[in-house]
Amino acid sequence: MLQTDDLTRYCDDHRQEALEELEAWLRIPSISADGAYRADVRRAAEHAAARMLALGMQRADVLESKGHPVIYGEWLGAPGKPTALVYGHYDVQPVDPLDLWASPPFEPQVRDGHLFARGAVDDKGQVVMHWEAFAAHLRTRKSLPLNLKYVIEGEEEIGSPNFDDFVARHRDLLACDVVIISDTPVFSEDVPSLTIAVRGLVNWEVHVDGPMLGDQHSGLFGGAIDNPINALAHIVAKLKDEHGRITVPGFYDDVRELEPAERAEIAALPFDETAEAKRLGVPQLHGERGYTPLERMWWRPTLDCNGIWGGYQGEGSKTIIPA
Ligand SMILES: [Zn+2]
């Protein structure tokens, strides 16, 4: 039986210190998308590397990429044992609109036992959890039963444009037996969760043009010219049938069906469909027939329209068939 008393005691004793360290990191506005924060992004990387060294890692460096820097840390004190690589990111999303924040995004605040700040749960909080756990083990047990590497990037929120190149150039440095990523949600606060796959993303922007001559009066030409907004609505409407199944030919060709055991595990989770619909403010959950909401969210591919615009956008109405 694993003895955890010493670890629990360490965590209790160091909880406040860990929280304060996380808050200090959260105060650095490491917004990767906005060039005005470039120096802050680097400062966040340097701050993290210093903390990792202070916690007992053998190495923690701020390495250059073609964009924002990457933090690399390691503790390789268990020769012959497996090596786990922890991936995370220290950059954050922009904070607009500011008036929707209950407290300023870069001034961490604890409310009802939850810490609020930009990056608190995506992904600085998780990264801190990993290195504090490392420190707890190292300081109580003096060693770890495996080797640890950390790679914390600064461009995840902008699609990691330079990360492939970084990984390719540091192949040997990053070599490991298993990669651990904590940049995904947990099912609930009291259900520990293992994410075994994530969705990929492909997107298109589709333009449908109307009359080349320009906007035409709908009272005069309605019924004689195809309206591009109507045409686009038809296209969007036909992407799914009435049972929520996507109608694009070949769309499901390479999708593996769920195994009965997988379905049983998903079904065993305490998920309340009615409560979730209420929480989201929708009359009911909706989706592909034959699958539960969790199966549709976690397993089935989806197709969604993220925005649609066209025609007259000003105040009131204007009788046009838009160009
Ligand atoms: Zn993230």
Side-chain angles (χ1 to χ4, degrees):
M1 174 116 174
L2 194 65
Q3 178 58 256
T4 56
D5 286 357
D6 53 345
L7 281 177
T8 307
R9 204 175 322 117
Y10 177 94
C11 292
D12 288 344
D13 291 349
H14 292 81
R15 186 183 168 82
Q16 190 58 31
E17 178 198 328
L19 181 64
E20 283 167 15
E21 286 293 333
L22 171 59
E23 288 179 354
W25 201 23
L26 289 169
R27 281 192 195 95
I28 305 175
S30 48
I31 303 172
S32 52
D34 187 341
Y37 294 89
R38 180 162 292 276
D40 292 308
V41 174
R42 180 169 293 272
R43 190 156 60 89
E46 287 165 354
H47 182 97
R51 176 67 179 160
M52 290 161 84
L53 281 180
L55 288 174
M57 281 183 211
Q58 295 163 334
R59 174 179 172 186
D61 293 327
V62 175
L63 301 179
E64 297 307 318
S65 80
K66 288 180 178 167
H68 294 302
V70 178
I71 309 155
Y72 172 79
E74 67 181 28
W75 184 88
L76 305 178
K81 297 285 168 52
T83 299
L85 174 80
V86 175
Y87 164 90
H89 65 90
Y90 66 90
D91 63 323
V92 299
Q93 287 272 331
V95 292
D96 316 272
L98 269 174
D99 56 330
L100 292 182
W101 285 81
S103 55
F106 297 109
E107 290 174 29
Q109 195 182 86
V110 177
R111 295 196 298 272
D112 299 328
H114 292 90
L115 177 64
F116 291 87
R118 175 58 100 217
V121 292
D122 188 9
D123 186 33
K124 288 173 175 169
Q126 289 94 317
V127 170
V128 164
M129 171 192 74
H130 276 289
W131 71 43
E132 294 293 340
F134 156 78
H137 274 270
L138 187 69
R139 288 176 176 173
T140 54
R141 311 271 169 92
K142 310 301 169 211
S143 189
L144 277 82
L146 81 173
N147 299 293
L148 276 173
K149 293 181 176 179
Y150 291 79
V151 63
I152 319 294
E153 70 152 315
E155 298 192 321
E156 195 275 346
E157 298 291 9
I158 52 172
S160 305
N162 299 297
F163 198 58
D164 283 1
D165 172 74
F166 179 88
V167 171
R169 282 192 292 115
H170 295 87
R171 212 184 163 81
D172 293 339
L173 188 68
L174 303 177
C176 61
D177 298 290
V178 61
V179 176
I180 302 167
I181 299 177
S182 296
D183 192 20
T184 44
V186 288
F187 182 74
S188 71
E189 283 181 22
D190 44 13
V191 178
S193 311
L194 267 185
T195 297
I196 55 168
V198 289
R199 279 176 168 159
L201 171 69
V202 178
N203 59 29
W204 292 270
E205 187 168 313
V206 177
H207 292 252
V208 180
D209 294 322
M212 300 274 278
L213 191 61
D215 292 353
Q216 298 299 314
H217 195 301
S218 58
L220 289 175
F221 292 98
I225 303 173
D226 202 357
N227 183 321
I229 297 177
N230 291 13
L232 186 59
H234 270 287
I235 294 169
V236 172
K238 283 163 78 178
L239 291 173
K240 289 184 182 177
D241 69 16
E242 69 271 34
H243 305 304
R245 190 170 170 86
I246 293 149
T247 54
V248 177
F251 188 83
Y252 294 102
D253 281 1
D254 297 326
V255 179
R256 180 169 78 72
E257 280 298 331
L258 280 153
E259 302 286 344
E262 291 166 336
R263 301 194 85 161
E265 287 202 15
I266 292 173
L269 284 164
F271 179 73
D272 183 338
E273 190 172 337
T274 310
E276 184 65 358
K278 193 169 176 217
R279 188 183 74 81
L280 292 166
V282 293
Q284 61 193 36
L285 299 185
H286 167 88
E288 188 182 3
R289 190 166 68 175
Y291 297 92
T292 67
L294 291 181
E295 289 170 351
R296 300 195 303 257
M297 287 191 280
W298 292 351
W299 199 267
R300 301 295 290 167
T302 58
L303 194 158
D304 277 292
C305 187
N306 298 133
I308 185 166
W309 62 94
Y312 177 66
Q313 305 276 319
E315 201 179 324
S317 63
K318 188 181 178 191
T319 50
I320 55 159
I321 293 174

